[in-house]
Amino acid sequence: MCGIVGAVRNSDASGFLLEGLRRLEYRGYDSAGVVIINQDGDLERARTVGKVAELEHALNQAPLMGMTGIAHTRWATHGGVTEPNAHPHICNGTLALVCNGIVENHETLRQKQHEAGLAFTSQTDTEVVVHQVYLHLQKGLDLADAVRATMKELEGSFALAVVHAGEPDRLVAARQGPPLLLGRTDDESFIASDINALLPVTRQYQVLENGDVVDLRGANCLIKDRTGVVVDRLVRTSSQSGDSADLGEYRHFMQKEIHEQPRAVADTLEGRLRGDQVLEDSFGREATRIFDATRQVCIIACGTSYHAGLVARHWLEYVGVPCEVEVASEYRYRRHASREGTLVVTISQSGETADTLAALEEAKRQGVAGSLVVCNVPESSLVRESDLAFMTHCGPEIGVASTKTFVSAMTGLLLLALALSRRRGFDSGFEAHVVHQIRTLPAALESALGMETAIANMAQAFGDKQNALFLGRGAHFPIAMEGALKLKEISYIHAEAYAAGELKHGPLALVDERMPVVAVAPNDLLIEKLKSNLEEVRARGGRLYLFADPASGLIESEDVQVLHVAPVDSAIAPIIYTVPLQLLSYHVALIKGTDVDKPRNLAKSVTVE
Ligand code: F6R
């Protein structure tokens, strides 16, 4: 989702700004732009629709040079994907601003600004913000005070950065919602939406808090809170690698990340198991106290992370822990009957999902025994806001569609279920059995990856399809949901998942010889039930594409294609059966020729609600 970078340097800032945008590309965007204050003290702007490479091309044709500048990747919310709507927005030729997030009262402000004689060149809510800052400057306020005054008038959730032609060594930035980080070296200062953009210049950073306004003047940066009081924010050191991501032998980051899963899960498990046991401090120093107080779990997440939560419910309930799983955007606006002893668990690869953050805040307001996040980004907001954190340690995920973070999050959640099982009377033999299975995960994932060639062949059948159904039962219903989500995200084929037993309650009407039906069929307690459901599909002429345990008894025929998944214990089966579905959607997307790593309209880090 939208990304901001800015710099006050003592040499040309354009290289840093462009590299910063490249490093924010993975978040998802549809246009990009930059403003630099040139050596004559004029604002110079370049904006393009499409990839950062387009902007780079434009800058190669007409370079912008200057020591202070701001840049932005835009993910359209208000107004279409056009160059005039791309940021930065400029008011009066002197003031340039970039903004992430949403300004809810933009219509009211726009009306007043019209009346004040200001003209508009875009349909965005951001242009209203730059006009508002300008109006305050006109009244004689200093730039930072004008930004603070503007923030008080804006409703919504946003982060912004602004430069003024009259003050070429200065940049002012502010946060009221989406994250904004400040980085400094001895004589320069930088802002960015996430740490990736700062890494080429520094690992040290400060996280602005809501209401903060920061005034950057080279090495001198002053942060004031919403009341105008000077504050200091903790200086953190990033543990992330500064290397820009490299595709290696793969065609896409998604393919690379699918293949990294054995290593990712091994890294997730590193230091988390001792002998036959899960180490509780993998979840944080306070884990034992909070787990002792936990009576039930409420999992809150979005999208793929929500699917990980649905799988975890099966594990938690198996060990006797009541569990509900909530979509964050629904949870945050619902009334709740809070229950004593609730451990709220958020799941988020980015740690920045606005709905999940707001839902966590709401859950904490209700009163909880503690909060735990399962997350891949140590420096993220959800990690900061939670009592406990289980870091998945699987390295940066660049492909917009989550793959290795999903598998690693499920692994972390299985460890959580084991840690809580001890308090539900499950003996050490049970934990030892599951831990043993968990240790086999990297090898079992590797074996599933060996199916790729066969899956690429299977994918051919989907090249001309507009729809697909995905079926699963038990803990594999969420895996089917995840398979359907992956297929729609990256191949744009409409796909829906059903609990296989639900088929006859409606969706069976969709089935005919043109409808591919994909099912995951591990050899578990529900296999015979699933086989009956699959027969219902066959009887209606549906085409079946099955990922099945060799012992399931499912056999190939003209209308049934079966690919065998090596036998796995049912405790870890959902994690393993994820892989063939990821590979299927990847290969279908290749056939469709879509932008696999950056599917249309989607963002990696969803920082607006
Ligand atoms: C799908 C996908 C999204 C995310 C969702 C939540 O491949 O990645 O559905 O799972 O936007 O994001 P996080 O996990 O960052 O909270």
Side-chain angles (χ1 to χ4, degrees):
M1 202 146 271
C2 301
I4 291 177
V5 262
V8 182
R9 304 205 74 167
N10 51 24
S11 60
D12 181 44
S14 59
F16 166 79
L17 294 173
L18 202 57
E19 176 61 13
L21 292 186
R22 273 192 219 104
R23 285 167 172 266
L24 298 181
E25 274 193 294
Y26 78 99
R27 296 161 64 94
Y29 68 103
D30 39 50
S31 51
V34 57
V35 153
I36 287 211
I37 306 180
N38 70 16
Q39 60 179 11
D40 301 325
D42 295 325
L43 297 182
E44 284 199 83
R45 175 170 67 180
R47 296 180 294 177
T48 49
V49 167
K51 303 293 177 206
V52 171
E54 304 291 331
L55 183 66
E56 187 177 2
H57 181 70
L59 292 174
N60 284 340
Q61 307 292 310
L64 304 186
M65 297 267 285
M67 296 190 288
T68 298
I70 49 177
H72 189 261
T73 46
R74 173 175 187 253
W75 189 81
T77 55
H78 295 68
V81 181
T82 61
E83 192 184 310
N85 285 339
H87 303 202
H89 290 286
I90 294 182
C91 182
N92 187 44
T94 54
L95 188 68
L97 182 141
V98 290
C99 184
N100 286 0
I102 290 176
V103 175
E104 287 164 3
N105 57 337
H106 67 103
E107 290 291 4
T108 322
L109 293 169
R110 185 184 291 260
Q111 192 54 41
K112 289 186 186 152
Q113 293 171 358
H114 259 304
E115 286 158 17
L118 291 171
F120 289 84
T121 58
S122 81
Q123 303 150 322
T124 64
D125 48 348
T126 296
E127 199 173 9
V128 166
V129 185
V130 71
H131 283 356
Q132 204 64 16
V133 177
Y134 175 76
L135 289 173
H136 285 296
L137 288 176
Q138 291 289 89
K139 287 184 216 151
L141 289 191
D142 163 79
L143 185 58
D145 293 335
V147 168
R148 189 170 303 100
T150 300
M151 286 184 62
K152 291 193 179 129
E153 293 159 340
L154 303 180
E155 289 163 20
S157 170
F158 47 84
L160 58 88
V162 55
V163 291
H164 189 273
E167 298 187 85
D169 305 323
R170 190 178 186 195
L171 185 162
V172 173
R175 174 183 185 185
Q176 183 56 52
L180 200 57
L181 313 184
L182 168 67
R184 317 181 198 194
T185 60
D186 287 345
D187 47 8
E188 300 178 315
S189 49
F190 308 86
I191 47 130
S193 295
D194 77 42
I195 186 68
N196 289 310
L198 293 179
L199 288 176
V201 287
T202 180
R203 285 185 174 284
Q204 309 253 292
Y205 67 98
Q206 290 162 288
V207 182
L208 295 189
E209 292 188 7
N210 283 340
D212 284 356
V213 175
V214 58
D215 200 343
L216 285 69
R217 300 172 190 249
N220 300 317
C221 298
L222 197 65
I223 309 175
K224 290 187 181 172
D225 69 9
R226 67 175 82 246
T227 63
V229 171
V230 176
V231 285
D232 207 7
R233 300 294 177 212
L234 182 70
V235 178
R236 300 159 194 265
T237 304
S238 172
S239 55
Q240 285 190 40
S241 149
D243 302 341
S244 62
D246 176 12
L247 265 179
E249 64 190 275
Y250 298 101
R251 275 179 76 178
H252 295 98
F253 283 106
M254 181 179 178
Q255 188 192 25
K256 177 173 181 253
E257 286 152 6
I258 290 172
H259 279 267
E260 277 173 356
Q261 292 179 123
R263 204 257 320 128
V265 167
D267 288 350
T268 302
L269 292 174
E270 178 72 38
R272 265 73 191 265
L273 302 173
R274 184 186 298 135
D276 289 342
Q277 284 196 321
V278 174
L279 291 175
E280 246 167 53
D281 59 9
S282 316
F283 298 89
R285 273 203 302 262
E286 292 289 300
T288 299
R289 181 184 62 75
I290 291 176
F291 291 172
D292 282 345
T294 296
R295 299 288 163 265
Q296 64 271 322
V297 168
C298 173
I299 298 180
I300 306 176
C302 304
T304 290
S305 293
Y306 170 70
H307 296 156
L310 291 174
V311 174
R313 177 167 66 191
H314 286 265
W315 292 326
L316 286 161
E317 294 197 333
Y318 187 87
V319 300
V321 179
C323 176
E324 52 185 342
V325 189
E326 300 268 359
V327 169
S329 54
E330 288 295 314
Y331 180 92
R332 63 183 290 192
Y333 292 117
R334 241 195 27 243
R335 281 173 73 92
H336 303 275
S338 62
R339 283 187 289 174
E340 213 177 298
T342 298
L343 171 66
V344 58
V345 177
T346 56
I347 308 166
S348 175
Q349 53 81 26
S350 65
E352 299 296 352
T353 303
D355 282 320
T356 311
L357 265 164
L360 171 62
E361 204 176 302
E362 172 61 18
K364 290 203 287 194
R365 213 179 50 76
Q366 308 265 338
V368 293
S371 56
L372 162 71
V373 63
V374 176
C375 187
N376 196 42
V377 181
E379 289 92 8
S380 63
S381 305
L382 275 165
V383 172
R384 285 194 301 275
E385 296 299 325
S386 303
D387 302 320
L388 304 176
F390 182 91
M391 300 314 307
T392 43
H393 292 161
C394 48
E397 188 174 70
I398 307 294
V400 163
S402 299
T403 52
K404 63 177 179 174
T405 52
F406 176 63
V407 157
S408 293
M410 284 194 288
T411 305
L413 291 160
L414 184 52
L415 300 190
L416 173 68
L418 286 182
L420 294 178
S421 76
R422 297 171 194 158
R423 293 158 173 90
R424 290 288 190 275
F426 279 76
D427 64 13
S428 55
F430 169 78
E431 185 166 347
H433 168 75
V434 181
V435 166
H436 175 72
Q437 297 306 325
I438 290 173
R439 288 189 190 280
T440 68
L441 271 171
L445 288 163
E446 200 67 66
S447 152
L449 289 168
M451 300 168 69
E452 181 159 13
T453 309
I455 292 173
N457 288 333
M458 184 188 259
Q460 301 295 331
F462 291 73
D464 61 348
K465 297 290 185 294
Q466 304 298 325
N467 302 289
L469 289 179
F470 282 69
L471 304 179
R473 294 197 71 137
H476 291 83
F477 170 40
I479 298 305
M481 293 168 81
E482 175 59 10
L485 179 63
K486 286 282 100 74
L487 190 70
K488 56 189 151 197
E489 272 183 298
I490 63 165
S491 74
Y492 314 150
I493 291 177
H494 174 233
E496 293 303 330
Y498 287 95
E502 272 291 290
L503 210 53
K504 57 185 157 303
H505 300 291
L508 206 50
L510 295 171
V511 171
D512 62 17
E513 65 285 355
R514 284 163 306 171
M515 175 65 85
V517 179
V518 181
V520 277
N523 190 26
D524 60 15
L525 290 174
L526 293 167
I527 186 67
E528 292 307 323
K529 303 281 175 207
L530 178 71
K531 279 158 77 176
S532 307
N533 304 139
L534 299 180
E535 282 307 320
E536 291 160 9
V537 173
R538 279 187 79 190
R540 273 89 194 163
R543 295 273 178 265
L544 284 170
Y545 300 88
L546 307 179
F547 298 105
D549 188 292
S552 64
L554 287 159
I555 38 175
E556 288 237 335
S557 64
E558 204 189 322
D559 51 358
V560 184
Q561 206 176 327
V562 183
L563 292 183
H564 284 148
V565 180
V568 278
D569 189 272
S570 56
I572 59 165
I575 302 177
I576 303 305
Y577 276 78
T578 298
V579 177
L581 298 186
Q582 294 170 337
L583 288 169
L584 180 65
S585 57
Y586 174 70
H587 284 281
V588 174
L590 285 189
I591 294 164
K592 292 269 185 188
T594 54
D595 189 347
V596 172
D597 285 333
K598 300 188 194 87
R600 67 185 182 201
N601 309 337
L602 298 181
K604 185 73 184 160
S605 182
V606 185
T607 51
V608 297
E609 79 166 290

